[in-house]
Amino acid sequence: MHLVCPHCDAVNRVPEARLGEGPRCGACHAALFEGKPVALDAARFRHHRAKNDIPLLVDFWASWCGPCRAMAPQFEAAAKLLEPRLRLAKLSTEEAPDVAAELGVTGIPLLVLFKGGREVARQAGAMPARQIAAWAEAHL
Ligand SMILES: [Zn+2]
């Protein structure tokens, strides 16, 4: 499978059976999974969305949004539950308003799940980690 490195954005090839064995990036040698969401900007979001063979779960948030800040530790905990089956990422709608507009993001926090680059589900509102994980798994 193709996996985009969360550190240097290199596209790695990792056998699916070895996803859980702590794979490292062939380019920068950092761990491909660290149990936490990756903060993406617009360009990196497009790259990760297009090149990852594992589903990408994105938390759309903004610094002024209280519920978003409250959900941040829950989303981070969900990364520990869902990696390496999914890649979790965060995208600030303040830093990437073009992406938010493109996807029709009107309310945040908003979770959007992408599979093979296509949106398969979205869910608005803050959720605890276990509920985030259950929701994502229900759409895999
Ligand atoms: Zn790397």
Side-chain angles (χ1 to χ4, degrees):
M1 321 189 82
H2 292 109
L3 281 183
V4 181
C5 175
H7 301 278
C8 74
D9 296 331
V11 179
N12 285 260
R13 296 178 68 141
V14 180
E16 190 169 0
R18 302 190 62 180
L19 279 183
E21 296 174 12
R24 292 191 163 266
C25 175
C28 75
H29 309 294
L32 289 173
F33 295 101
E34 296 182 314
K36 60 181 185 191
V38 193
L40 300 176
D41 60 17
R44 293 187 72 205
F45 164 74
R46 292 195 173 93
H47 180 63
H48 279 250
R49 173 183 173 175
K51 302 293 183 189
N52 267 309
D53 283 338
I54 56 171
L56 180 69
L57 177 60
V58 183
D59 172 23
F60 288 88
W61 71 287
S63 63
W64 50 260
C65 163
C68 299
R69 291 198 306 271
M71 192 172 88
Q74 298 299 323
F75 193 65
E76 187 149 339
K80 290 181 180 66
L81 298 171
L82 291 166
E83 286 187 356
R85 289 168 296 144
L86 280 83
R87 169 68 71 206
L88 274 67
K90 293 175 70 76
L91 194 93
S92 161
T93 57
E94 294 162 292
E95 286 166 31
D98 48 338
V99 172
E102 217 171 90
L103 292 169
V105 175
T106 49
I108 51 174
L110 176 74
L111 295 181
V112 182
L113 180 63
F114 299 93
K115 259 172 96 175
R118 293 198 0 256
E119 177 179 337
V120 292
R122 66 170 62 193
Q123 175 73 44
M127 290 192 283
R130 297 238 159 245
Q131 200 180 333
I132 295 169
W135 175 81
E137 276 165 353
H139 292 95
L140 292 183

